[in-house]
Amino acid sequence: MVDNHFRPAGFLNIPAPEGIDLVQAIKELKEEKNAVILAHYYQDSAIQDIADYVGDSLALARWAAKTDADAIVLCGVDFMGETAKILCPDKRVFIPDLNAGCSLADSCPADEFEQFIKQYPDHTVVSYVNTSAAIKVLTDVVVTSSNARPIVESFPPETPLIFAPDRNLGNYINSVTGRNMVLWNGACHVHEQFSLEKILNLKKQYPDALVLAHPECKSVILQVADCIASTSGLLEYASRSDKKTFIVATESGILHEMKKNNPDKEFIPAPPNDSTCACNECNFMKLNTMEKLYNCLKYEIPEIFLDEEVIRKAVKPIQRMLDISEKLGI
Ligand code: 13P
Ligand code: SF4
């Protein structure tokens, strides 16, 4: 199956007018167009600060599903924009830079995945939201890192499951639930990069520090973590904890919200293996800038378009996730 994602242009490469106050201009355009700005915690601080809502993948999907705005500007990566479009096909959905992809989603091409699931015909397909719309079409239920464990646990233990695309999250859920889900061998280039050695050195330097890790990290990192949770779960834990220092093994954009909520606490980004690059930054997430957000609102481009048939099929596993989550009170 081909991916129906249509990319007319990555972004509009026009410089914003000289001397313009981008914050004010974005606010005015947003009002004028009755648009809502949704941002992920991995976005640049300035984008997080101007967004109407900042959240994790689950929260972004929920806000998209219930907004009464005419247009959604999704400041995140393309699968997040696609999810919003699938949930609100009648609304216009924009993303400041359509080149903002996701290495994890890209690690699971739809044609290969279709062949893979054919080998396990009696299995239920559980897919992480970090997938293309074409993968969602092949999926029975979508999950995010906030609800993956309880949704997997909601299936009777004898129900055989396939989990895609993240092998680290899949392994983690297998280990905490005692299940033996068949895993697709995908990973995120940011979360794969954290260095155990450097984290252990930081722990020696800050003996009271707690390690917070996203479940997309490798199991060696998760083994030394005090809290393993989605971005919103890590934020909640950091705020609730009476500890003062935290080593954070996820994309460094989350530190903005962590520091904002806890000005008296110290947050240290976990270092990547390769110290020559800022590998704990998601280069895709960081493609979105305030200038591109301004252009996106002003010129209404780039927009997400999906084939109607894809939307009709892909909405089912996403809606199933939202329904199960609501039923479980997540
Ligand atoms: P969350 O579901 O925690 O927002 O994570 C999304 C993501 O892309 C992690 O890399
Ligand atoms: Fe995808 Fe990884 Fe970036 Fe998250 S951090 S959007 S999983 S590439």
Side-chain angles (χ1 to χ4, degrees), residues 29-46:
L29 283 166
K30 198 185 64 160
E31 291 299 314
E32 185 189 318
K33 314 247 168 159
N34 190 25
V36 65
I37 300 177
L38 307 181
H40 191 267
Y41 292 122
Y42 295 165
Q43 291 293 285
D44 268 342
S45 312

Side-chain angles (χ1 to χ4, degrees), residues 40 42 77 79-80 101-105 128 130 188-191 216 251 282-285:
H40 191 267
Y42 295 165
V77 291
F79 74 81
M80 296 173 176
C102 167
S103 58
L104 177 52
Y128 194 31
N130 299 43
C188 153
H189 72 300
V190 177
H191 289 87
E216 287 173 23
E251 211 272 354
C282 175
N283 49 324
F284 297 113
M285 284 278 183

Side-chain angles (χ1 to χ4, degrees), residues 143-159:
V143 298
T144 74
S145 51
S146 289
N147 58 21
R149 180 180 178 171
I151 288 184
V152 164
E153 283 174 329
S154 73
F155 287 96
E158 60 280 9
T159 305

Side-chain angles (χ1 to χ4, degrees), residues 17 44 49 86-87 91 116 127 131 135 146 152 165 170 173-174 221 264 270 276 293:
D44 268 342
D49 287 343
I86 292 164
L87 286 165
K91 292 193 191 297
F116 179 78
S127 294
T131 47
I135 294 292
S146 289
V152 164
I173 296 171
N174 272 344
I221 305 292
D264 58 327
T276 60
L293 174 56

Side-chain angles (χ1 to χ4, degrees), residues 135-311:
I135 294 292
K136 291 185 175 81
V137 167
L138 301 169
T139 294
D140 295 302
V141 62
V142 167
V143 298
T144 74
S145 51
S146 289
N147 58 21
R149 180 180 178 171
I151 288 184
V152 164
E153 283 174 329
S154 73
F155 287 96
E158 60 280 9
T159 305
L161 304 177
I162 290 173
F163 186 88
D166 191 49
R167 60 173 177 252
N168 295 324
L169 178 59
N171 266 320
Y172 169 67
I173 296 171
N174 272 344
S175 74
V176 291
T177 60
R179 296 192 82 111
N180 189 20
M181 298 186 294
V182 175
L183 306 182
W184 178 263
N185 191 19
C188 153
H189 72 300
V190 177
H191 289 87
E192 283 264 295
Q193 272 291 333
F194 293 113
S195 158
L196 177 63
E197 198 189 334
K198 290 178 189 169
I199 291 175
L200 294 177
N201 282 340
L202 276 172
K203 273 188 73 86
K204 274 192 209 141
Q205 215 180 320
Y206 301 91
D208 288 336
L210 297 182
V211 177
L212 311 180
H214 196 279
E216 287 173 23
C217 294
K218 286 192 208 166
S219 62
V220 285
I221 305 292
L222 299 183
Q223 275 158 23
V224 299
D226 298 284
C227 170
I228 302 166
S230 67
T231 47
S232 55
L234 297 178
L235 277 154
E236 268 173 47
Y237 184 91
S239 294
R240 263 202 332 266
S241 171
D242 51 16
K243 295 284 182 188
K244 293 284 180 220
T245 314
F246 302 86
I247 300 162
V248 185
T250 190
E251 211 272 354
S252 53
I254 198 174
L255 268 69
H256 178 62
E257 183 79 8
M258 281 182 169
K259 287 178 185 161
K260 213 161 97 180
N261 297 344
N262 306 279
D264 58 327
K265 297 182 182 176
E266 186 177 8
F267 298 97
I268 305 162
N273 277 310
D274 180 351
S275 49
T276 60
C277 78
C279 307
N280 54 3
E281 277 203 353
C282 175
N283 49 324
F284 297 113
M285 284 278 183
K286 299 303 195 263
L287 283 176
N288 294 325
T289 61
M290 288 288 277
E291 188 169 74
K292 288 177 190 170
L293 174 56
Y294 166 81
N295 277 335
C296 175
L297 276 160
K298 181 152 179 71
Y299 301 104
E300 303 179 12
I301 193 170
E303 182 167 358
I304 301 236
F305 295 102
L306 288 170
D307 183 279
E308 273 178 33
E309 181 75 354
V310 168
I311 293 181

